[in-house]
Amino acid sequence: MFLAQIVEFLVVTQADSSRFLESVRGSPLTGAALRLFAMQELGRLRGYNWCGVYRLEGDTLVLDEYVGEETEHTRIPVGRGVCGTSVAENKNQVIEDVNALGNYLACSISTKSEIVVLIRRGGEILGQIDIDGHEVGAFDASDEAFLEALAAILSERWE
């Protein structure tokens, strides 16, 4: 019972995600301003403790807009860490426990789980949404679907 209460607390509800996506869709912003707005709004959701966008520039991910603690990982080579692996494998990453990974790039000792969702336009990867959580198992398939919907909006107004 206690575990179910914790999981319920961490899950972003359908109502939360619908309101959020409507807010982003309804914004007149584009480009970096829209990405910053979206990250600020994501940072208000339960369990979304660090929220950022990395742009893909050649074979390097470059930190774009984010909210949360500063990170030294402003440039990540493709193939390195969760973010780089996502691009190298061309697939989203939902990591239940970052401490179980051998190639994890620690941004904060508080981070316990991470989700990375690619932002694509057509077949091209523009970048990714990277979210860190302070609880093990903070993200699931519903978070991935929610962030994929956000990624679609961001790609349409990427600039």
Side-chain angles (χ1 to χ4, degrees), residues 7-8 18 34 36 40 86 94 110 120 124 137 139 151:
V7 170
E8 182 179 322
S18 294
L34 180 63
L36 178 59
Q40 289 170 333
S86 182
V94 181
S110 300
R120 297 180 179 100
E124 176 189 7
F139 309 111

Side-chain angles (χ1 to χ4, degrees), residues 114-136:
E114 184 170 5
I115 185 169
V116 174
V117 172
L118 294 171
I119 303 169
R120 297 180 179 100
R121 182 179 297 144
E124 176 189 7
I125 298 172
L126 301 173
Q128 62 189 211
I129 300 167
D130 178 22
I131 310 293
D132 293 350
H134 292 174
E135 301 293 329
V136 171

